[in-house]
Amino acid sequence: MSVITMRFLAAAAAAGPDKTVSGGTVMKWIDEAGYACATGWARRHCLTVYASGVRFHRPIAMNHLVEVEARLAYTGHTGMNIAVEVRSGDVKGGRMLKTTECLMVFVAVDEEGQHMPVDAWRPGTPGEMALARAVRVQLESYRTLQFA
């Protein structure tokens, strides 16, 4: 499974005084969707290693429909790079707008927590190829910054 989409209503309990969902709650949803995508691909337990470029475009109002889509974008030997996009909108209107995006890295692990190899993922559509290229460029820029 290289893509997973979670859909649900933003509960009033998730909203703060301004009646929007907190950034921490949105990040929790991102991690859950990323985990489900990574674990589905690896067919074993996975750990979050890295989350980068979390970008909040707009708030999520309580009682809005929320979609959290996690998409496998690139695989290494034991790691999986997952692009996550969050969208929301009024359930009566049907129009969903991007609210948040993030790139995550997960690793597959065995029962002792040791990294395990994952199957290689090959992009099949032009959109998947473009996403894989963008992720590789982003990863390379992080490596350059890390050792600068």
Side-chain angles (χ1 to χ4, degrees), residues 53-106:
V54 179
R55 172 112 196 263
F56 294 95
H57 297 280
R58 60 181 40 84
I60 298 173
M62 69 177 176
N63 298 319
H64 270 203
L65 180 64
V66 177
E67 293 180 345
V68 185
E69 182 183 87
R71 179 176 297 276
L72 193 59
Y74 184 72
T75 55
H77 180 65
T78 61
M80 295 152 285
N81 296 267
I82 311 248
V84 182
E85 183 174 294
V86 182
R87 297 176 290 273
S88 76
D90 186 338
V91 74
K92 296 180 294 286
R95 185 168 176 229
M96 303 292 282
L97 298 173
K98 182 174 13 176
T99 66
T100 315
E101 61 187 326
C102 177
L103 179 64
M104 303 189 76
V105 177
F106 288 84

Side-chain angles (χ1 to χ4, degrees), residues 10-23 25-26 29 58-62:
D18 64 350
K19 300 191 191 266
T20 63
V21 176
S22 74
T25 297
V26 175
W29 296 339
R58 60 181 40 84
I60 298 173
M62 69 177 176

Side-chain angles (χ1 to χ4, degrees), residues 1-4 37-38 40-41 70-73 82-83 121 128:
M1 176 172 22
S2 64
V3 179
I4 187 167
C37 184
W41 181 260
R71 179 176 297 276
L72 193 59
I82 311 248
W121 176 78
E128 290 172 344

